[in-house]
Amino acid sequence: MRLLLLAAPGGGKGTQGERLASHFGVRHISSGDVLRAAASDGSPAGREVAAYQQRGDLVPDQIVFELLVPVVAAAVAGGGYILDGFPRTVPQAITAADIGARLDLTLDATIYLHVPEEVLVQRLLARARPDDTPDVIRHRLEVFTDTTSPLIEYYRNRGILVEVNADQPPESITEEIVSRLPAS
Ligand code: AMP
């Protein structure tokens, strides 16, 4: 199983990523977690990643691909992945599709977790991540609207988008996703 999870910050990508990964017995890969791990390694490159994350800006593509491609390749070898937080832009999606095509890999679906904005903000303010301050939250929501949300149309046009109401209890969301996935 190879799935992408697309959602605004606070949309529940992390929670559904874990739940779906355990349901399908594949690896959950959060690009934010992979980048946070790199950010805390104390290296100059790590400090650069940390600065982007603290501001709520996207980390440059070159760094993202360098860190993420080996993790995804290892997951593919292990049977698949639930990828949350990547791709975050249409150019990232195009590059990822090129890499996938070269490796003869297809995506089963992209799940869009849809949540009203006021619920997103409440959820984010209830967490305690350093990038969950009101100003940075506002900026991350803008980045989602401007740069990431065009991916909804991008994947819809490819016929693989599954849009789910994610303002429900986590178990109901997982159930809905699983029931709506194409039969493989
Ligand atoms: P997340 O954990 O998905 O909320 O991501 C936290 C932060 O990690 C984002 O605000 C970005 O700074 C960075 N990030 C995560 N995924 C990506 C990506 N695919 N491209 C660029 N930056 C990313």
Side-chain angles (χ1 to χ4, degrees):
M1 180 57 71
R2 290 189 288 268
L3 296 179
L4 301 184
L5 290 178
L6 186 61
K13 301 188 298 291
T15 305
Q16 292 306 317
E18 274 171 34
R19 296 179 58 86
L20 291 165
S22 91
H23 180 89
F24 290 111
V26 296
R27 174 116 187 248
H28 168 221
I29 304 169
S30 150
S31 57
D33 284 350
V34 170
L35 292 165
R36 268 186 291 279
S40 62
D41 75 358
S43 68
R47 280 197 288 277
E48 198 188 334
V49 171
Y52 284 101
Q53 287 195 309
Q54 272 157 24
R55 291 194 300 267
D57 284 329
L58 295 183
V59 174
D61 285 357
Q62 198 198 332
I63 304 178
V64 172
F65 278 91
E66 246 172 58
L67 291 169
L68 213 54
V69 167
V71 181
V72 176
V76 166
Y81 54 76
I82 313 293
L83 189 45
D84 108 42
F86 175 91
R88 207 73 155 214
T89 67
V90 171
Q92 283 187 358
I94 291 170
T95 305
D98 284 347
I99 298 174
R102 260 184 278 138
L103 300 174
D104 208 16
L105 295 174
T106 47
L107 265 184
D108 291 291
T110 294
I111 317 292
Y112 171 46
L113 303 170
H114 184 262
V115 178
E117 181 152 329
E118 63 275 14
V119 179
L120 295 172
V121 174
Q122 279 163 15
R123 287 187 188 174
L124 292 165
L125 288 171
R127 304 197 306 202
R129 245 169 57 181
D131 58 347
D132 286 336
T133 61
D135 282 354
V136 180
I137 288 173
R138 200 172 313 116
H139 181 54
R140 286 164 58 219
L141 289 170
E142 272 166 23
V143 170
F144 177 79
T145 304
D146 298 345
T147 315
T148 305
S149 70
L151 286 173
I152 299 166
E153 206 53 36
Y154 175 91
Y155 287 113
R156 188 179 286 135
N157 289 336
R158 275 156 190 75
I160 58 165
L161 190 81
V162 175
E163 180 167 348
V164 173
N165 165 21
D167 186 14
Q168 313 180 58
E171 315 79 62
S172 317
I173 300 170
T174 312
E175 227 171 87
E176 185 174 337
I177 294 171
V178 170
S179 73
R180 292 184 48 203
L181 285 176
S184 50

